Amino acid sequence: MSPNQKTLLAAFVAFVTSIALGAICALLFALIDEDHDDWAVLAVFGIVAGSLFVGSAAWVALFKFSDTRPQPQASGQAPPNSPGTPVP
């Protein structure tokens, strides 16, 4: 995978995780506080999900992903013969 694909995948995982944890925190807040306002639950979700995503996006931005694809060979060299390849 290219470094850009790895960064995009890490950002997507961070987004999905922050949404899931924000929803869990909002549900727990709604269960714990019997006399809650619906806007308060929405605020808890937004604050938790937003802060987790900003923090994880900053963490992903600080990480340097490397390229794991094989590097092309120099044009002046012939590729090595693999077993079973006829030699001219």
Side-chain angles (χ1 to χ4, degrees), residues 31-44:
L31 290 174
I32 291 171
D33 188 13
E34 298 278 331
D35 187 29
H36 66 274
D37 188 16
D38 291 338
W39 288 106
V41 175
L42 185 62
V44 167

Side-chain angles (χ1 to χ4, degrees), residues 3-85:
N4 290 339
Q5 289 173 333
K6 289 179 183 179
T7 304
L8 183 64
L9 179 64
F12 177 73
V13 169
F15 176 74
V16 170
T17 304
S18 64
I19 293 294
L21 290 176
I24 290 170
C25 288
L27 287 174
L28 287 176
F29 175 75
L31 290 174
I32 291 171
D33 188 13
E34 298 278 331
D35 187 29
H36 66 274
D37 188 16
D38 291 338
W39 288 106
V41 175
L42 185 62
V44 167
F45 170 74
I47 290 169
V48 171
S51 60
L52 281 174
F53 181 68
V54 167
S56 57
W59 189 258
V60 168
L62 291 174
F63 190 77
K64 178 163 175 57
F65 292 97
S66 61
D67 196 358
T68 57
R69 295 178 292 182
Q71 299 298 322
Q73 295 182 356
S75 60
Q77 297 177 345
N81 290 333
S82 59
T85 304

